């Protein structure tokens, strides 16, 4: 990171005392966890503790400062740019090394342990208005070509499904992720023409790279509510094996009872196992329809449907359009010949 930018961040992360906040500044209490109060942090604050109305906001974690358990009505990303930090959730204590990244879902109880003086930790907040439907949400009525793994980011932003969902990414030596985060911070603190648009697009790129990183990750990291299984690992498995997958084989792969796995997926995504499989299949089919001239029956077989009629039924049920209509509307080849 450039020295000038790092200096600005260090100037903004000076200690603050929770106990010295007046009653007008302290947020509303929302409950108790481990005999400690939990507060509603529903306003994003800038580095001067003023309310920040922006959909995407960045602030610096104050050093040597106690911050109580709290919840947000938005998604928060925490990244140690220099040094490390420890995030405490309902059931886990997560140690973030430099450049690791944790995404904390809407209404997830957490706090960050006081950080050392030499550390610099960034908090990046994403309100539900940060992205439009085409960017951010997993399902919408028009065109759906996002893969199952993208579902995690919709869950994180959803008040009902996102509660107690979080995901820790060990970015290791992935310099592309590190540079993306640095450029997002740079654009935020040195705004220029199109900075907001650049930040939004770079965040979407960051999500894509994090999914790729998780797909290549061998280590399973705790990340969801009350179990050590990782939701993104399950979604990535469906994404990779969608054509021939069965609930029994997937359960055996992860060492689960099939009924437990089915209930787990339904609880944390709101969708059944078979619904997730169908979504993945039709989304991949949509890509084939867009970028190839392959016959529809061949595409159906490729994505796991031996019966073309059943493929047509599932495609229309999930994407609200027939495969033939989808190809006519979105085909890359059709556009080139127009």
């Amino acid at each position: 990171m450039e020295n000038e930018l790092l200096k600005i961040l260090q100037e903004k992360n000076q200690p603050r005392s929770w106990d010295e906040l007046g009653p007008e500044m302290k947020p509303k209490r929302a409950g108790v966890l481990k005999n400690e109060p939990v507060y509603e942090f529903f306003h994003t604050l800038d580095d001067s503790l003023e309310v920040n109305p922006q959909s995407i906001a960045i602030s610096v974690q104050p050093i040597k400062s106690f911050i109580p358990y709290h919840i947000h009505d938005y998604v928060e990303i925490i990244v140690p740019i220099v040094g490390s930090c420890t995030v405490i959730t309902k059931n886990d204590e997560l140690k973030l090394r430099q450049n690791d990244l944790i995404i904390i879902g809407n209404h997830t109880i957490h706090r960050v342990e006081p950080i050392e003086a030499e550390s610099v930790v960034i908090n990046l907040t994403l309100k539900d208005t940060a992205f439009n439907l085409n960017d951010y949400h997993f399902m919408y009525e028009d065109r759906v070509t996002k893969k199952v793994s993208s579902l995690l980011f919709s869950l994180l932003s959803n008040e009902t499904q996102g509660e107690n969902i979080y995901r820790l990414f060990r970015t290791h030596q992935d310099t592309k992720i590190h540079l993306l985060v640095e450029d997002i911070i740079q654009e935020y603190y040195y705004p220029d023409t199109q900075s907001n648009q650049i930040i939004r697009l770079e965040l979407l790129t960051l999500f894509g790279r994090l999914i790729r990183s998780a797909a290549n990750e061998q280590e399973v990291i705790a990340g969801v509510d009350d179990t050590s299984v990782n939701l993104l690992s399950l979604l990535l498995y469906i994404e990779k094996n969608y054509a021939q997958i069965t609930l029994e084989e997937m359960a055996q792969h992860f060492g689960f009872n099939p009924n437990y796995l089915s209930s787990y997926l339904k609880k944390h995504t709101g969708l059944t196992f078979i619904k997730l499989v169908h979504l993945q299949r039709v989304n991949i089919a949509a890509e084939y329809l867009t970028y190839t001239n392959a016959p529809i029956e061949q595409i159906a077989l490729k994505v796991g449907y031996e019966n073309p009629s059943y493929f047509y039924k599932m495609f229309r049920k999930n994407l609200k359009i027939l495969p033939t209509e989808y190809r006519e509307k979105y085909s890359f080849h059709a556009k080139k010949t127009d």
Side-chain angles (χ1 to χ4, degrees):
M1 177 170 288
E2 295 181 5
N3 290 335
E4 185 177 347
L5 180 58
L6 187 58
K7 183 179 179 181
I8 289 176
L9 299 179
Q10 289 170 332
E11 289 173 353
K12 295 178 179 295
N13 74 348
Q14 296 310 298
R16 298 195 180 100
S17 174
W18 172 263
D19 293 330
E20 292 178 3
L21 289 178
E24 70 283 355
M25 284 291 293
K26 283 193 176 180
K28 176 184 174 183
R29 285 184 60 161
V32 177
L33 177 64
K34 302 174 185 177
N35 296 319
E36 296 183 34
V38 178
Y39 294 89
E40 292 181 349
F41 285 16
F42 283 6
H43 293 294
T44 54
L45 304 179
D46 61 21
D47 295 308
S48 301
L49 296 183
E50 298 292 331
V51 173
N52 190 331
Q54 292 179 261
S55 296
I56 300 171
I58 296 177
S59 61
V60 191
Q61 186 85 8
I63 60 174
K64 297 182 176 180
S65 301
F66 168 76
I67 297 176
Y69 282 113
H70 58 278
I71 58 174
H72 304 299
D73 58 353
Y74 48 82
V75 173
E76 180 180 30
I77 302 175
I78 299 174
V79 190
I81 301 300
V82 177
S84 62
C85 72
T86 300
V87 177
I88 310 294
T89 65
K90 181 179 178 181
N91 295 299
D92 291 301
E93 182 173 312
L94 306 165
K95 180 78 171 182
L96 277 67
R97 300 184 289 267
Q98 185 165 313
N99 291 317
D100 284 347
L101 183 152
I102 188 169
I103 305 179
I104 298 175
N106 191 348
H107 284 77
T108 294
I109 299 174
H110 67 286
R111 65 180 173 86
V112 179
E113 291 278 76
I115 61 174
E116 300 296 327
E118 62 274 10
S119 294
V120 177
V121 178
I122 293 297
N123 302 319
L124 196 154
T125 60
L126 307 175
K127 297 180 182 177
D128 58 5
T129 55
F131 303 101
N132 59 42
L133 289 176
N134 291 2
D135 292 333
Y136 197 59
H137 291 290
F138 179 65
M139 281 295 294
Y140 54 100
E141 291 295 312
D142 190 5
R143 186 183 184 194
V144 182
T145 56
K146 293 187 178 181
K147 295 183 172 61
V148 164
S149 55
S150 302
L151 174 61
L152 180 69
F153 297 103
S154 293
L155 297 176
L156 285 162
S157 67
N158 184 280
E159 181 173 345
T160 302
Q161 297 292 345
E163 186 174 352
N164 293 321
I165 292 182
Y166 47 90
R167 175 63 165 104
L168 172 61
F169 294 89
R170 303 289 188 190
T171 62
H172 303 295
Q173 303 302 315
D174 195 330
T175 55
K176 290 183 178 180
I177 290 178
H178 304 166
L179 290 173
L180 266 173
V181 172
E182 181 177 337
D183 198 60
I184 289 168
I185 298 169
Q186 180 90 24
E187 289 289 340
Y188 186 85
Y189 283 103
Y190 293 97
D192 202 342
T193 305
Q194 292 291 305
S195 281
N196 289 339
Q197 179 76 346
I198 289 170
I199 289 172
R200 186 179 66 84
L201 294 173
E202 288 191 325
L203 279 168
L204 292 171
T205 303
L206 176 64
F207 289 165
R209 290 203 172 276
L210 290 174
I211 289 173
R212 174 186 288 178
S213 173
N216 296 329
E217 194 176 81
Q218 298 301 314
E219 179 184 9
V220 176
I221 301 170
V224 188
D225 200 10
D226 57 355
T227 179
S228 61
V229 73
N230 180 266
L231 179 60
L232 185 53
S233 297
L234 298 177
L235 297 177
L236 286 166
Y237 185 86
I238 293 173
E239 181 174 306
K240 182 178 180 181
N241 300 283
Y242 63 91
Q244 304 297 331
I245 195 171
T246 68
L247 178 63
E248 289 71 21
E249 289 174 350
M250 182 175 174
Q252 183 178 11
H253 177 83
F254 287 97
F256 295 147
N257 177 282
N259 290 335
Y260 172 81
L261 177 60
S262 179
S263 298
Y264 180 91
L265 289 169
K266 176 66 174 178
K267 175 183 177 182
H268 291 289
T269 69
L271 303 173
T272 63
F273 165 79
I274 194 64
K275 176 69 172 179
L276 290 167
V277 172
H278 284 313
L279 283 173
Q280 181 63 16
R281 287 177 175 178
V282 299
N283 277 299
I284 295 299
E287 292 185 2
Y288 285 133
L289 291 167
T290 301
Y291 298 109
T292 78
N293 284 320
I296 292 179
E297 290 75 13
Q298 182 181 343
I299 292 174
L301 187 63
K302 178 76 173 177
V303 299
Y305 295 105
E306 294 184 4
N307 185 333
S309 297
Y310 188 58
F311 167 67
Y312 271 77
K313 178 181 177 181
M314 288 297 101
F315 196 96
R316 183 170 188 173
K317 181 178 180 180
N318 286 281
L319 302 194
K320 316 302 179 186
I321 189 173
L322 287 170
T324 47
E325 296 169 338
Y326 188 96
R327 170 166 271 174
E328 182 179 342
K329 186 174 183 180
Y330 296 115
S331 172
F332 177 76
H333 297 279
K335 290 176 184 177
K336 287 189 68 175
T337 57
D338 286 346

